[in-house]
Amino acid sequence: MPGFDPKWRDPPDYILGVTKEIWEDRGISTLTGSYADDIVVRSPASVVIGNANVIGATMATLAEFPDRQLLGEDVIWCEAPSGGFLSSHRLISTATHMRPGAYGPATGKTLRYRIIADCHAVDNQINDEWLIRDQGAIVRQIGMEPKDFARDMIHREGGPERCVQPLTPANDAPGPYAGSGNDDEWGARAAQTISAIMDADFTAIPRAYDRAAFLSYPGGENALSYHGADQFWMGLRASFPNATFTIHHQIGRTDPDMPPRASVRWSLFGKHDGWGRFGTPTGAEVYVLGLTHFEFGAVVTGEPRIRREFTLFDETAIWKQILLQTGDL
């Protein structure tokens, strides 16, 4: 790994190691070196620019959830034009809501939820990031529905004129990473499958998925097989049937001791003008940032299919956009 501290064996070791140093080992000060001064961190809830703001947000999270752990499930990565790499890091977070904070008064609830983060790293430093937490799972476990949480957040942040604005193309900030992934066959297969579904070709699901596929979706939902995938993707696309679907980044990898796998970062941008996962159509213009990980395998020789899927978007950020535009506060 040219340009990186020799203690890191490879990109997954770097990403897992830096994450543990910051969150579990309490080395928050290491962010001054491991994150660039002008880093752009995009989550569906906001755009944060600058290392100082990242440090502040990290301390606020740990104050609210002091026993938080981040358990890395996978790091799917590719080389970057900069000479560094782009990693898509999937992890499970466990935490107890012990103190008041961004999620309201302390509830004492023990939480478990997934996160996927795409990070660009070069010269031993992360300088660009796309981060999705399963906010729907978090708020449901503390006793709220995503729509109600979004409404409450708007009020606690000072009302519609003063509250933090969710990520949209209008307020996104450019970062240094200029890549779009790699041309590996597994990334291409993943992108083709999601694109077909978003084009309303739901026959792509039994063609691409294993009949016993395990599926993990926003809100902490787990599902199985063709029906589970159909219901999830149908519910999402039905809510935004005319929105523009874009694939921003795709990675495919085949590594020793791991199944072939892929990561795809994608978005939907358009009107909430259909009946689906987000209820009564409102006509609100909504930006949905999504991240999907696939794992492939061949139970029947010569027929590799999607065996596991992990897809995330932030339900609370979608509801916040809808509420801000409809005035249903």
Side-chain angles (χ1 to χ4, degrees):
M1 294 179 65
F4 287 81
D5 191 310
K7 71 180 180 180
W8 308 119
R9 289 176 289 172
D10 55 21
D13 190 37
Y14 172 82
I15 291 296
L16 295 172
V18 165
T19 301
K20 185 175 184 297
E21 280 183 352
I22 295 166
W23 290 97
E24 295 178 45
D25 298 343
R26 292 304 196 264
I28 302 172
S29 64
T30 64
L31 280 164
T32 58
S34 59
Y35 272 37
D37 290 344
D38 57 352
I39 187 173
V40 181
V41 179
R42 305 161 199 78
S43 72
S46 66
V47 179
V48 176
I49 299 176
N51 201 348
N53 291 322
V54 173
I55 291 171
T58 301
M59 290 191 294
T61 299
L62 285 174
E64 192 168 5
F65 302 97
D67 64 346
R68 189 179 189 220
Q69 288 187 303
L70 295 164
L71 309 175
E73 289 188 296
D74 200 0
V75 179
I76 302 172
W77 65 277
C78 67
E79 295 178 351
S82 62
F85 63 88
L86 189 288
S87 67
S88 193
H89 178 198
R90 187 180 78 247
L91 53 154
I92 294 176
S93 180
T94 62
T96 306
H97 189 209
M98 295 183 183
R99 300 286 185 272
Y103 294 92
T107 62
K109 298 291 181 65
T110 298
L111 314 179
R112 184 172 67 183
Y113 56 93
R114 275 196 171 83
I115 304 164
I116 304 179
D118 279 13
C119 293
H120 174 240
V122 62
D123 295 331
N124 214 48
Q125 193 172 68
I126 296 168
N127 61 12
D128 218 349
E129 184 170 358
W130 295 259
L131 170 70
I132 303 180
R133 295 185 187 92
D134 190 354
Q135 295 281 71
I138 295 172
V139 301
R140 286 184 177 94
Q141 289 174 84
I142 62 175
M144 298 184 74
E145 286 299 310
K147 183 177 182 179
D148 297 328
F149 176 81
R151 183 183 287 116
D152 181 65
M153 180 64 76
I154 291 168
H155 288 293
R156 288 193 290 122
E157 291 176 343
E161 290 77 26
R162 298 181 59 191
C163 70
V164 178
Q165 296 299 307
L167 171 69
T168 69
N171 64 18
D172 195 0
Y177 181 64
S180 58
N182 63 19
D183 59 1
D184 182 272
E185 62 173 307
W186 300 107
R189 185 179 295 210
Q192 289 165 6
T193 298
I194 299 174
S195 296
I197 292 170
M198 288 297 179
D199 285 339
D201 179 9
F202 288 87
T203 65
I205 290 172
R207 290 199 308 270
Y209 285 73
D210 188 272
R211 187 166 175 264
F214 169 81
L215 316 165
S216 177
Y217 291 133
E221 296 178 7
N222 292 329
L224 295 170
S225 194
Y226 309 147
H227 177 75
D230 183 279
Q231 289 296 291
F232 167 73
W233 289 105
M234 187 79 74
L236 173 63
R237 192 51 158 154
S239 290
F240 311 101
N242 300 299
T244 299
F245 172 70
T246 304
I247 288 181
H248 301 280
H249 200 271
Q250 66 188 58
I251 305 171
R253 286 200 66 83
T254 303
D255 290 307
D257 304 319
M258 296 290 284
R261 57 220 203 279
S263 170
V264 181
R265 182 169 8 105
W266 51 269
S267 69
L268 280 171
F269 183 44
K271 302 264 185 211
H272 175 221
D273 54 3
W275 289 87
R277 187 182 180 101
F278 292 92
T280 305
T282 61
E285 188 175 72
V286 172
Y287 184 71
V288 181
L289 178 67
L291 276 162
T292 296
H293 282 189
F294 285 140
E295 292 183 3
F296 298 87
V299 177
V300 177
T301 303
E303 294 185 9
R305 294 173 180 266
I306 296 165
R307 296 275 295 155
R308 297 210 297 169
E309 176 191 349
F310 305 87
T311 291
L312 285 183
F313 53 72
D314 182 348
E315 296 169 275
T316 67
I318 294 170
W319 279 117
K320 193 174 187 182
Q321 292 174 79
I322 292 171
L323 294 173
L324 286 171
Q325 291 178 60
T326 61
D328 181 16
L329 304 173

